[in-house]
Amino acid sequence: MPSGFGSIEGAKSTAVFSSFHETCKVHGVNLEDYLEFLFRYMGIHRDELKDESLSDERRNAILEQAMPWKFKKA
């Protein structure tokens, strides 16, 4: 099924992004700055997060540090 605003998948994607954007706003985080940080951060931790032997605790700790409420602009 094609993605886009004319599909269920497009609607789901829009809802997820809107929720994400609102979370940033609630925490006073600039969305553009945060997304730049997030893409870099996830790139740094990509291989570790793909490791199937990674403990849930470690995976959650990595992801927790990437949340908007943890973001601080340097």
Side-chain angles (χ1 to χ4, degrees):
M1 177 175 287
S3 183
F5 288 104
S7 70
I8 292 173
E9 289 305 312
K12 288 179 184 178
S13 296
T14 299
V16 168
F17 185 79
S18 294
S19 176
F20 184 73
H21 183 232
E22 290 300 314
T23 300
C24 285
K25 284 174 37 179
V26 165
H27 292 283
V29 172
N30 177 284
L31 182 62
E32 186 176 331
D33 292 341
Y34 175 69
L35 287 174
E36 181 179 342
F37 156 77
L38 183 62
F39 292 140
R40 289 178 192 273
Y41 182 85
M42 295 309 285
I44 290 167
H45 294 282
R46 176 184 52 211
D47 292 337
E48 189 174 7
L49 288 167
K50 284 182 175 180
D51 183 354
E52 293 182 16
S53 68
L54 187 67
S55 71
D56 288 342
E57 291 81 15
R58 176 66 183 144
R59 185 178 316 279
N60 289 340
I62 292 169
L63 295 174
E64 176 66 25
Q65 291 304 310
M67 295 294 113
W69 50 87
K70 294 281 189 167
F71 176 72
K72 300 279 189 258
K73 179 138 172 69

